[in-house]
Amino acid sequence: MAYLIDEHKLSKVYLKSYHTVGRYKYNVDTLIDQPGVSRHHAIIELAQDKWLIRDVSTNGIWINDKKIDKNLPYQLCENDKLDFAAPGQNSFVVANLSTQCQYLVSQSDNQQVIEVSDQLLLPNDDNPTHIIYFDQMLNYWFLEDLNTSDRQALIDGGLVSAFNSQWVFYSAGTAAMTKHLERLPNVKPCGLSFSVSQDEEATQLSVNLDDNTIDLGVRSHHYLLLLLARLRIQDKDDGVEQDQQGWIYREDLIKALGVQMNHMNIMVHRARKQLTEAGGDKFPELGYLIETSNGKLRLNSQDITIIKGHKLETRMTL
């Protein structure tokens, strides 16, 4: 598991695969409520089996007493000392940079940690009440109650209830994801048709695939897909290469949506769930219309029509 040590509190700070640091307590993963620390001060993320940090602040970050360049990724090493906003202040030490682990951390005692490397029975193999496993189709880890069959999706950095307590799930593992991605089906050309009201309060979505039209109705999470669609179209119009079109950092997407990170993660999950269920066994590729990579998302479609207030807003074709 990857974590820092807060030198002031002498406590562990477990890292999400996309981890934010700053003074904005409602929208960062690690809060530093000190003068000089920006609302969004730093981003730490796992990319290609390396932990990187980016300075997105006003007053800077020092690593081993040397100030790093703003907005440029810097690779972290174990035992690095991190100072936020000023040298020798708000100090953390990089203690562990594992890249192959999922784990639950208790909210009441952050020293209580459950590591997950594969399917795991809880609280033990002899008398289990829950199971944690990776769903290959939905591309999610789940915690399932063995008595009721109720299950909770485990989102990196998200809260989950179990054993009369609250836990935070962290997923820095890449092995299971890489293995899964190697088996992904080829995504067939899929047409998306959005119909959004003039005030953008209601968004309807239809999917066209192999001469079949699937009406997904009006859902709040369709607006997230609409924003991703607009970004993909804009990038194509601007001449961006196809493999780079449409990508947006989660932090920028939550600003565009006007919601908090947890709310956005729920919207992404609900969108994926609806698309997967709508596709079923006949069109399993619908579950892969939302692509994710290193803290970024995009819509995996190049055939998009957007109608706003009964008038064509824009169109993108293969």
Side-chain angles (χ1 to χ4, degrees):
M1 62 193 69
Y3 59 88
L4 312 178
I5 299 293
D6 184 330
E7 288 200 326
H8 175 66
K9 298 178 181 178
L10 298 180
S11 60
K12 293 180 179 179
V13 176
Y14 293 97
L15 296 177
K16 296 164 53 179
S17 56
Y18 183 81
H19 196 95
T20 56
V21 180
R23 203 181 73 248
Y24 186 23
K25 66 179 180 179
Y26 297 109
N27 219 4
V28 295
D29 300 302
T30 296
L31 173 66
I32 306 178
D33 191 10
Q34 295 294 332
V37 176
S38 299
R39 288 159 60 88
H40 291 93
H41 201 102
I43 296 168
I44 301 173
E45 59 185 324
L46 179 62
Q48 298 179 340
D49 287 336
K50 298 176 182 178
W51 285 96
L52 308 176
I53 187 169
R54 283 191 290 132
D55 174 20
V56 293
S57 71
T58 300
N59 293 327
I61 297 172
W62 281 256
I63 298 182
N64 301 325
D65 299 320
K66 181 179 179 180
K67 191 174 185 180
I68 64 173
D69 294 327
K70 187 172 181 178
N71 287 321
L72 293 179
Y74 180 95
Q75 184 177 344
L76 292 175
C77 298
E78 290 187 3
N79 299 315
D80 277 348
K81 180 185 176 185
L82 311 180
D83 296 321
F84 297 92
Q89 295 186 22
N90 311 308
S91 300
F92 294 74
V93 173
V94 179
N96 188 295
L97 292 176
S98 171
T99 62
Q100 301 295 338
C101 187
Q102 293 73 227
Y103 44 98
L104 292 166
V105 180
S106 171
Q107 282 285 82
S108 58
D109 178 8
N110 69 358
Q111 301 304 306
Q112 188 175 357
V113 180
I114 300 174
E115 292 192 42
V116 183
S117 58
D118 201 347
Q119 180 172 294
L120 179 67
L121 293 170
L122 297 171
N124 54 62
D125 290 346
D126 296 329
N127 190 27
T129 60
H130 292 75
I131 184 173
I132 293 178
Y133 62 93
F134 187 75
D135 188 309
Q136 299 286 354
M137 174 60 74
L138 294 181
N139 205 17
Y140 270 94
W141 286 92
F142 284 94
L143 173 66
E144 183 170 326
D145 188 317
L146 293 174
N147 296 316
T148 65
S149 295
D150 292 336
R151 66 178 188 172
Q152 304 173 68
L154 300 176
I155 300 171
D156 187 23
L159 281 173
V160 62
S161 299
F163 321 122
N164 299 316
S165 184
Q166 294 284 314
W167 303 75
V168 179
F169 179 71
Y170 292 84
S171 179
T174 58
M177 186 68 69
T178 301
K179 184 178 179 181
H180 171 56
L181 290 175
E182 289 172 353
R183 296 198 299 270
L184 287 181
N186 293 323
V187 178
K188 299 176 184 177
C190 177
L192 303 179
S193 298
F194 293 89
S195 179
V196 59
S197 61
Q198 192 64 42
D199 59 7
E200 307 214 345
E201 289 294 323
T203 307
Q204 183 269 341
L205 174 62
S206 296
V207 178
N208 303 297
L209 188 61
D210 283 353
D211 297 323
N212 292 273
T213 299
I214 304 172
D215 185 356
L216 298 179
V218 177
R219 299 287 190 277
S220 60
H221 54 256
H222 289 168
Y223 190 67
L224 178 146
L225 300 179
L226 175 64
L227 293 185
L228 294 178
R230 283 171 169 164
L231 180 61
R232 178 115 198 195
I233 292 172
Q234 184 62 56
D235 280 354
K236 182 179 181 182
D237 290 344
D238 291 343
V240 177
E241 293 293 328
Q242 181 178 317
D243 61 348
Q244 298 299 316
Q245 292 172 7
W247 290 109
I248 183 173
Y249 277 103
R250 290 174 181 264
E251 59 181 351
D252 295 325
L253 185 56
I254 63 174
K255 293 177 184 177
L257 289 167
V259 300
Q260 296 182 15
M261 186 67 76
N262 280 351
H263 188 183
M264 188 204 68
N265 286 336
I266 291 171
M267 293 174 73
V268 171
H269 169 65
R270 287 176 176 170
R272 275 181 167 154
K273 184 174 186 292
Q274 185 189 24
L275 288 165
T276 300
E277 291 176 349
D281 294 332
K282 188 175 183 181
F283 304 118
E285 57 269 26
L286 288 187
Y288 308 108
L289 275 176
I290 302 177
E291 292 184 292
T292 59
S293 175
N294 300 326
K296 296 180 288 186
L297 301 94
R298 78 164 176 178
L299 194 61
N300 188 12
S301 175
Q302 300 177 66
D303 186 352
I304 301 168
T305 301
I306 301 175
I307 304 294
K308 181 173 180 178
H310 306 293
K311 294 183 179 180
L312 178 65
E313 175 184 294
T314 187
R315 179 86 194 277
M316 174 183 181
T317 57
L318 295 173

